[in-house]
Amino acid sequence: MYTYIYTLTLLLEKCINKNIEVIVLDRPNPINGVDIEGNILEPKFESFIGRHPIPVRHGMTIGEVALMHQNLWIKEKINLKIIKMINWKREMYFEDTKLPWLLPSPNIARSESACTFPAIVLFEGTNLSEGRGTTQPLEIVGHPKINPFLLFSNHLFNSIKESKLEGFVLRPITFTPTFDKNHNEVCGGFQIHITNKTIFKPWRVGQLVIRELYNHLENDFKWRSPPFEYNYTQLPIDIINGSNKLRHWVEKNESVETLDSFENLKDYKLQLEEIKIY
């Protein structure tokens, strides 16, 4: 999920009962339009970073988001026109398009960052650095109290192996953010280094890493407090996840296998089939 699609759906709602045609120039989903991953957002956790009942890795283009919005999320339709892409296929990652990468955010400087985003973005809801203030934001995570090499060799390596998650390695690193969290402090942490993006499951990997660092850091790990993204009451981690259940999963130190129970995607996949335009 990302704020551009919610800016779009807010715009569509403002155009109800107005004689305005909205034209959407469609764009590629940078992490393909096939893979779907994550829990469905619960209505009570709606925010500007998650307005609708879709998973974090939703598999839609922005044009398809507009169509789903018109078909399922509002009662009155507007005059909407989608200009389709030429030659885009659902299995494509952004680099497969051969198009130049234009930053959708100052902190997503390259297409690789889009692949790790669904994992590392979780740490925006914590006191750990998600790499802002470095050259690899949203690809790395860290904290001054982490000894990355010791933690990896003593515990994380086995946790990843037991999880059976593949397509990535955690690379132990140290870094010093120049701004944002832990600025000018040396942080130990990890880069999520993708080795096979076709089998990499960023949502699951992110939940695994946040669980491990929560239990490792103990009292040095903090859930970030509100306000966050115009929400002044709910914990940021809960609005990022679109649920408080995953925070409880972390706190209870539950197994990766139990994440299956959060991914109730059957109805969503049926809805997606109805609005696909590619």
Side-chain angles (χ1 to χ4, degrees), residues 52-78:
H52 306 296
I54 60 177
V56 62
R57 191 173 185 183
H58 50 71
M60 290 186 282
T61 67
I62 194 168
E64 290 172 335
V65 170
L67 288 175
M68 187 172 282
H69 177 269
Q70 294 293 284
N71 290 352
L72 299 175
W73 301 332
I74 59 170
K75 294 180 180 179
E76 299 180 68
K77 295 185 179 182
I78 67 158

Side-chain angles (χ1 to χ4, degrees), residues 209-224:
V209 174
I210 204 170
R211 185 197 71 181
E212 293 301 305
L213 296 185
Y214 173 90
N215 287 286
H216 171 71
L217 288 168
E218 296 181 329
N219 292 334
D220 289 313
F221 184 108
K222 305 292 183 186
W223 297 117
R224 186 173 176 178

